[in-house]
Amino acid sequence: MLAGKLVSGHFDYTTQNGKRVPVVQAWGKWYWAPEGGACAMRDAKCEIQRIWDFIVLNIRYTFDSKAVDTFKTLRMSLESSAGDCDDSLISFAALLKAVGFDVMARVISSNGDSWDHVYTLVGCPHDNPTKWVVLDPTVEGATIDWEYPHAKAHQDFWV
């Protein structure tokens, strides 16, 4: 239901600092919603942007404990307002797949010795992807299709 609300623009509103801002409810809690109305039918670019904006507004990148690698569901990441790269992948995949996108995980090695980062690839268009769009919000200021430029190796996996 959350993904459908995001792409259809079905938001509620609250006031923050005298400004009307969109919010959306999920699992009994309120989360910031992206600005803008409904995406046009089959507008993959708009739908990806809405889901990107929602993740960036509500989930801050944080490291896992050095002792344990955790994997949070979308709900857990939203409730904690934080997650690492694999949590971001899980959150994006849950929302994107709920509105019909094909999703892949790209695992990279930045040093050539170990697999140390993962992020989302989403296929466009919905029904027969010919382009894979990168979603990696783990770097401050990153935008859709930004990708770590110095990876020594990568592997892609269907999600």
Side-chain angles (χ1 to χ4, degrees):
M1 287 180 20
L2 177 57
K5 288 179 184 180
L6 293 173
V7 300
S8 65
H10 287 153
F11 309 135
D12 289 301
Y13 291 85
T14 189
T15 302
Q16 182 185 32
N17 299 326
K19 183 181 175 192
R20 187 173 181 244
V21 293
V23 291
V24 63
Q25 190 174 33
W27 299 289
K29 297 190 179 194
W30 292 97
Y31 300 98
W32 302 116
E35 297 284 342
C39 294
M41 299 295 284
R42 300 180 183 266
D43 185 346
K45 184 177 178 181
C46 178
E47 292 177 351
I48 292 167
Q49 184 70 56
R50 288 292 191 295
I51 290 170
W52 167 272
D53 290 345
F54 177 77
I55 296 290
V56 170
L57 284 168
N58 292 286
I59 302 173
R60 180 184 182 276
Y61 176 76
T62 57
F63 290 101
D64 275 338
S65 161
K66 290 189 182 209
V68 179
D69 191 11
T70 62
F71 300 92
K72 296 178 186 173
T73 64
L74 169 61
R75 181 178 181 173
M76 290 170 59
S77 290
L78 286 170
E79 288 179 353
S80 67
S81 301
D84 70 353
C85 59
D86 50 57
D87 304 325
S88 173
L89 168 69
I90 292 165
S91 296
F92 275 120
L95 292 170
L96 290 163
K97 288 177 78 65
V99 291
F101 284 99
D102 286 331
V103 176
M104 295 182 79
R106 174 163 287 171
V107 182
I108 67 165
S109 173
S110 61
N111 59 18
D113 294 328
S114 63
W115 300 105
D116 50 10
H117 186 50
V118 64
Y119 49 88
T120 309
L121 301 176
V122 56
C124 290
H126 292 83
D127 52 355
N128 188 21
T130 56
K131 176 175 174 39
W132 291 91
V133 178
V134 175
L135 302 176
D136 184 1
T138 61
V139 174
E140 181 97 22
T143 58
I144 292 173
D145 244 358
W146 177 86
E147 189 166 16
Y148 183 74
H150 305 293
K152 302 288 186 212
H154 76 270
Q155 290 187 326
D156 297 339
F157 301 92
W158 288 102
V159 176

